[in-house]
Amino acid sequence: MLASYQEFEAAIAELLDVDLEDLAGYEDSLLDFGLDSVQIMSLVGKLELQGIQVSFIELAANVELSTWWNLLSKKKENNSGEAA
């Protein structure tokens, strides 16, 4: 899910059940696409399965693609560093 920003966008588009073309490059709140708390919790679970520990609160604090990408990329880097 975090191999590239485009793959991340595609995963979020699938989560929101919207066309990737509608979401790609979108910079505003994902609430505009109907994002809800259940979907955020689902994302938290999927990320945990990939070894990325993120909380609902962290994701809900700012529901924009670029913000999530930056947060998750940092967490992924931190996890990689701990495994080394």
Side-chain angles (χ1 to χ4, degrees):
M1 174 184 279
L2 295 179
S4 71
Y5 188 75
Q6 291 76 21
E7 183 179 323
F8 175 68
E9 278 184 325
I12 299 303
E14 183 178 329
L15 176 75
L16 297 172
D17 195 26
V18 299
D19 290 333
L20 178 57
E21 295 78 26
D22 294 336
L23 189 64
Y26 191 75
E27 294 295 328
D28 292 326
S29 172
L30 295 172
L31 297 174
D32 296 339
F33 286 93
L35 177 70
D36 62 31
S37 60
V38 173
Q39 291 166 318
I40 295 174
M41 287 305 300
S42 174
L43 180 59
V44 167
K46 289 177 184 181
L47 291 166
E48 285 180 356
L49 290 175
Q50 294 182 24
I52 300 171
Q53 297 299 312
V54 64
S55 71
F56 173 87
I57 299 288
E58 289 174 300
L59 293 179
N62 193 333
V63 292
E64 296 172 352
L65 278 174
S66 59
T67 303
W68 280 3
W69 174 254
N70 291 331
L71 172 68
L72 298 175
S73 294
K74 286 178 187 172
K75 289 192 174 277
K76 185 177 176 185
E77 280 180 24
N78 289 343
N79 287 347
S80 296
E82 291 173 5

